[in-house]
Amino acid sequence: MKNLIIAVLLAALSGHSLANGVCDKASKEFDKAVDVYKKEGGTAFMKRVLKNGPLENDMKSLSQAQVLGQIEQFFGPIETATVLSTKELGSKSCYIIGILEYKNGPAFAVANYYSGSKGVGATSLFFQTEPEQILPKQFLVQ
């Protein structure tokens, strides 16, 4: 009985650490994409975000760089970015909310990263300039 309890605890812990590993990897991938964005622009950012994912060469997904261009027209160049929140969605998927801080205002990015056969890559990504469109109310008001 004691061995069974230990086995169950180890299985639960290993599953939890695997999920944490996915979000750690996803956060690092997001940070790398932001570094590329600062140096090479929105199209390079989108290519880096989608790298290793099923949408890697999807022209519709890559066209979201136009949204970043529109944000930059109003808010100026990107200066910093931070991952605000990560949430494991199963053992291979991580939901990320990040803030992109431009010279004159913020935008928010929401991405789902998945650990697939090629590595960790985004399966979806979208942007909003209004935090209440993305962030839960309890995150905004305490």
Side-chain angles (χ1 to χ4, degrees):
M1 182 69 171
K2 184 177 177 182
N3 288 340
L4 179 61
I5 292 172
I6 291 172
V8 170
L9 284 173
L10 287 174
L13 289 173
S14 68
H16 182 68
S17 72
L18 178 62
N20 279 339
V22 169
C23 281
D24 289 343
K25 290 176 187 174
S27 293
K28 288 176 185 171
E29 288 299 318
F30 184 80
D31 289 342
K32 289 176 187 176
V34 169
D35 289 340
V36 168
Y37 184 18
K38 289 177 185 178
K39 295 173 188 169
E40 300 176 37
T43 300
F45 171 76
M46 288 305 303
K47 286 181 181 180
R48 185 66 175 98
V49 166
L50 298 172
K51 181 182 176 187
N52 296 328
L55 303 174
E56 185 168 2
N57 295 311
D58 180 63
M59 294 309 290
K60 185 177 177 184
S61 298
L62 290 171
S63 71
Q64 284 196 69
Q66 294 173 350
V67 174
L68 292 174
Q70 292 171 343
I71 292 169
E72 290 171 3
Q73 284 179 352
F74 293 100
F75 292 171
I78 187 160
E79 293 183 341
T80 63
T82 305
V83 172
L84 296 176
S85 175
T86 62
K87 173 72 175 163
E88 299 101 13
L89 304 175
S91 63
K92 299 176 83 174
S93 185
C94 183
Y95 186 79
I96 290 179
I97 299 175
I99 183 170
L100 305 172
E101 295 176 308
Y102 295 84
K103 184 176 182 180
N104 297 311
F108 300 87
V110 175
N112 189 60
Y113 278 84
Y114 190 79
S115 180
S117 60
K118 294 180 183 178
V120 176
T123 59
S124 66
L125 175 71
F126 68 93
F127 306 97
Q128 280 286 338
T129 56
E130 301 158 353
E132 58 276 0
Q133 296 296 320
I134 290 182
L135 301 174
K137 289 193 186 317
Q138 61 269 30
F139 195 88
L140 295 171
V141 181
Q142 295 182 9

